[in-house]
Amino acid sequence: MAQEDVFKKLVSHSKEYGFVFPSSEIYDGLAAVYDYGQMGVELKNNIKKYWWDSMVLLHENVVGIDSAIFMHPTIWKASGHVDAFNDPLIDNKDSKKRYRADVLIEEQIAKYDEKINKEVEKAAKRFGDSFNETMFRQTNPRVLEHAAKREELHTRFSNALNANDLAELRQIILDYDIVCPISGTKNWTEVRQFNLMFSTEMGSTADGAMKVYLRPETAQGIFVNYLNVQKTGRMRIPFGIAQIGKAFRNEIVARQFIFRMREFEQMEMQFFVRPGEELEWFKKWKAIRLKWHQALGFPASKYRYHDHEKLAHYANAATDIEFEMPFGFKEVEGIHSRTNFDLGSHEKYSGKKLQYFDPELNESYVPYVIETSIGVDRMFLSVMAGSYCEEELEGGDKRVVMKFPPQLAPIKLAVLPLVKKDGLPEKARSIIDTLKFDFKCQYDEKDSIGKRYRRQDAIGTPFCVTVDHQSLEDDTVTVRFRDTMAQERVAIADLASIIGEQVSLKSLLKKITE
Ligand code: ATP
């Protein structure tokens, strides 16, 4: 199936089964804002708990906070967001559609990669087992030609970005014949900078209202509390502060479902280290974070690091962890070595000392910072995309099954009485009554058992427990496993341990500490 179709199906599946709804839908929606439904909120909470526990349970020296969304406006001056949190914007005069100039060029670069991959695929088919991919990539003239063009564009693009040369970005778009996908024309405006922060007013006008911003990242709430936490928690460097919370960005191009939203949620951790040790810690956190993703069990080939072309004004190293979405490899998490920029800048703007006295070195300094920053919604999308499967069954039937890692599945087990009579519903309810304290359960007695299995597959429930007449006699049930569809007769008394072993977050957390 074409990847575009997979994506469309995923979006409609998300809505049909209560994962994600367009926000304000009865008023025709609000662009790039989404609501999570009854299944979505469970999945999202499980993702957040997995992240939170991996930070604050597994690391003695990482603690959490929950800071306010509104903050003093000078914070955003100090952080550089007022002056530099911009995207280069370009409009097509014919379609009146707005684009990010950098994204248009990145898509052009990706086209060369696609061409190269197509050549490789064709050759692999032609040569079969004797195919040497590395050799082919190094020697095939067509591949080399595409690679050279890609490199040329790439260099020009990074130079323009680094020099903040907006006219050059436009010129690249013209030189490479990049057209608007809607109008098909090259009738482009100039490239302009556009600030992504939302602002509002705090206080009544009579008081002299103050312009405040909706935070575009949660990180600053951590920096301004750095000293509070360090002192009250008696934290010693190296240590980290973690936070999960909403962030807001007035994104220019808000497409691709929950990949790019105007209101979203971040899970960020700032790790404070000695100056000079930051690159070592950067490497460590890069590895820890990739392991966190990979523990979920999706194929390793779906992840890759992508080092940044253009470092942000505060960073001395940065990488993204990308996941292969149906629309290509995309950033899910950023890991940045932010130097002492933020704390140093808050010292200047606030006039307060934000230094750490290091008893081992017997000196004070502004700590350096490694940040790990992951979007909950993008993570959610990657889990949905990695889990979505369509399978042909025997007898020509089809099923859509969300093969969620069981620890993240919204519903852990469904309890299904085979028939709606003979005391089977009561028996089923009694099983739920003992298991509901540990697992999110669902009871379903409507329709044939086959249809009920399909419904549970569609929401990714790892276990279906069927109660039949034998259950009344010997206290056993059949457990049906989502991925294999295999069924097994087990004692009701063993259900808690069979299910618990597979769905507990502990098993995931253990994997990342191995
Ligand atoms: P992009 O280049 O895709 O705009 P970014 O590099 O600006 O992302 P960061 O500022 O590093 O993103 O934010 C950290 C994380 O927050 C990202 O890796 C992503 O998961 C998430 N994120 C950022 N912007 C959005 C958004 N508009 N919608 C959903 N998630 C987002």
Side-chain angles (χ1 to χ4, degrees):
M1 200 188 325
Q3 288 300 296
E4 267 167 43
D5 294 338
V6 173
F7 187 50
K8 272 194 201 140
K9 285 186 177 182
L10 191 63
V11 175
S12 63
H13 190 86
S14 295
K15 185 172 169 213
E16 191 179 342
Y17 287 92
F19 286 94
V20 180
F21 304 127
S23 164
S24 322
E25 199 187 3
I26 58 171
Y27 291 94
D28 296 333
L30 186 63
V33 186
Y34 290 89
D35 296 337
Y36 286 84
Q38 67 281 9
M39 289 302 138
V41 71
E42 297 290 342
L43 174 58
K44 200 177 180 209
N45 284 342
N46 292 340
I47 290 172
K48 288 196 274 186
K49 180 137 176 60
Y50 174 39
W51 183 87
W52 187 263
D53 287 356
S54 78
M55 287 293 171
V56 305
L57 292 190
L58 298 190
H59 301 276
E60 234 175 84
N61 58 352
V62 177
V63 293
I65 61 162
D66 183 17
S67 71
I69 289 174
F70 288 130
M71 292 194 271
H72 195 286
T74 310
I75 288 173
W76 303 111
K77 193 77 193 148
S79 68
H81 283 82
V82 171
D83 298 321
F85 193 51
N86 300 317
D87 275 342
L89 160 163
I90 191 165
D91 293 290
N92 183 271
K93 291 183 194 162
D94 298 319
S95 67
K96 309 269 184 285
K97 288 278 172 209
R98 180 158 284 181
Y99 299 88
R100 264 173 66 175
D102 55 334
V103 172
L104 287 177
I105 300 171
E106 274 167 8
E107 283 169 359
Q108 182 70 20
I109 293 175
K111 279 190 189 152
Y112 289 118
D113 289 329
E114 276 164 34
K115 283 184 186 162
I116 293 171
N117 289 340
K118 275 209 182 113
E119 294 291 344
V120 173
E121 266 170 41
K122 262 196 323 207
K125 264 197 205 137
R126 205 166 48 221
F127 294 113
D129 288 344
S130 62
F131 182 56
N132 181 336
E133 185 179 327
T134 321
M135 173 85 96
F136 182 79
R137 281 181 185 273
Q138 284 167 355
T139 53
N140 179 272
R142 265 198 303 272
V143 169
L144 291 178
E145 192 188 321
H146 293 316
K149 281 192 182 151
R150 182 198 188 281
E151 197 44 40
E152 193 185 317
L153 172 56
H154 190 253
T155 311
R156 214 176 140 189
F157 175 52
S158 359
N159 290 344
L161 279 185
N162 283 320
N164 239 331
D165 188 342
L166 301 182
E168 170 68 352
L169 284 179
R170 179 170 190 270
Q171 200 51 50
I172 296 174
I173 290 174
L174 296 179
D175 291 351
Y176 280 80
D177 290 327
I178 298 176
V179 296
C180 163
I182 308 287
S183 66
T185 71
K186 285 203 296 178
N187 195 4
W188 296 109
T189 61
E190 297 303 307
V191 177
R192 298 188 300 285
Q193 292 289 23
F194 176 79
N195 193 289
L196 300 183
M197 279 199 295
F198 285 100
S199 64
T200 185
E201 309 248 299
M202 183 173 270
S204 70
T205 23
D207 296 344
M210 177 164 67
K211 179 173 176 180
V212 291
Y213 299 99
L214 297 186
R215 66 181 178 198
E217 62 175 29
T218 59
Q220 297 305 322
I222 295 179
F223 291 124
V224 297
N225 278 296
Y226 152 76
L227 207 57
N228 284 336
V229 175
Q230 192 271 317
K231 290 240 180 306
T232 58
R234 295 180 298 118
M235 308 302 290
R236 294 173 73 134
I237 273 181
F239 76 92
I241 304 178
Q243 157 152 259
I244 299 179
K246 289 273 183 159
F248 304 82
R249 295 182 187 178
N250 197 3
E251 298 281 1
I252 299 171
V253 182
R255 289 195 212 107
Q256 294 169 327
F257 193 38
I258 55 172
F259 181 77
R260 192 171 295 288
M261 303 157 90
R262 296 202 165 108
E263 173 179 340
F264 58 100
E265 211 165 350
Q266 290 186 312
M267 307 190 279
E268 297 199 297
M269 195 276 304
Q270 311 293 324
F271 197 73
F272 301 91
V273 303
R274 267 185 199 157
E277 294 184 357
E278 71 275 10
L279 293 178
E280 210 178 296
W281 280 108
F282 173 72
K283 246 170 79 186
K284 279 190 196 161
W285 279 106
K286 239 175 105 165
I288 296 173
R289 293 304 306 146
L290 187 62
K291 230 175 161 186
W292 182 88
H293 288 273
Q294 288 180 336
L296 291 171
F298 298 117
S301 61
K302 288 209 167 277
Y303 300 93
R304 70 178 190 199
Y305 289 121
H306 171 246
D307 295 328
H308 282 205
E309 299 308 329
K310 182 193 177 195
L311 290 175
H313 58 280
Y314 49 73
N316 69 359
T319 199
D320 296 334
I321 294 178
E322 295 186 337
F323 184 83
E324 192 178 17
M325 303 277 187
F327 42 90
F329 272 96
K330 296 285 167 190
E331 170 183 348
V332 172
E333 171 157 6
I335 300 155
H336 311 123
S337 172
R338 288 179 84 127
T339 68
N340 60 356
F341 170 82
D342 301 86
L343 289 180
S345 188
H346 287 307
E347 271 202 333
K348 267 189 241 140
Y349 277 83
S350 68
K352 307 278 179 343
K353 276 221 167 317
L354 297 175
Q355 304 215 338
Y356 174 78
F357 176 74
D358 193 323
E360 279 168 40
L361 300 181
N362 202 23
E363 67 179 71
S364 293
Y365 52 77
V366 176
Y368 272 51
V369 173
I370 304 304
E371 162 183 86
T372 72
S373 172
I374 169 170
V376 179
D377 314 87
R378 280 194 196 174
M379 185 61 203
F380 183 103
L381 184 57
S382 73
V383 171
M384 291 291 287
S387 303
Y388 184 88
C389 281
E390 286 182 12
E391 288 180 353
E392 297 280 345
L393 302 176
E394 274 171 38
D397 227 7
K398 245 171 82 174
R399 71 165 183 161
V400 174
V401 50
M402 297 303 293
K403 293 191 172 173
F404 291 130
Q407 301 90 339
L408 300 187
I411 307 288
K412 304 304 186 196
L413 78 151
V415 184
L416 318 169
L418 193 60
V419 289
K420 261 194 268 183
K421 54 181 186 183
D422 304 336
L424 300 189
E426 290 75 12
K427 186 77 181 165
R429 295 249 180 234
S430 76
I431 294 174
I432 291 185
D433 282 342
T434 52
L435 295 179
K436 69 183 175 193
F437 301 98
D438 292 314
F439 312 115
K440 178 86 184 142
C441 307
Q442 202 173 68
Y443 174 83
D444 191 2
E445 60 175 25
K446 197 168 175 293
D447 300 324
S448 71
I449 198 80
K451 274 196 182 152
R452 283 182 267 169
Y453 285 157
R454 287 298 95 77
R455 277 202 290 269
Q456 295 301 329
D457 287 342
I459 55 171
T461 307
F463 302 98
C464 285
V465 168
T466 306
V467 176
D468 56 20
H469 291 92
Q470 192 184 330
S471 312
L472 301 178
E473 286 158 26
D474 64 2
D475 273 329
T476 63
V477 285
T478 43
V479 175
R480 180 230 188 220
F481 300 90
R482 178 195 66 199
D483 298 351
T484 58
M485 294 189 288
Q487 302 194 12
E488 207 179 297
R489 190 111 208 147
V490 305
I492 293 173
D494 292 339
L495 280 176
S497 69
I498 295 171
I499 295 164
E501 215 169 87
Q502 300 253 345
V503 307
S504 84
L505 272 183
K506 193 167 159 187
S507 55
L508 270 183
L509 294 172
K510 278 203 164 152
K511 254 198 212 172
I512 45 181
T513 48
E514 271 160 15

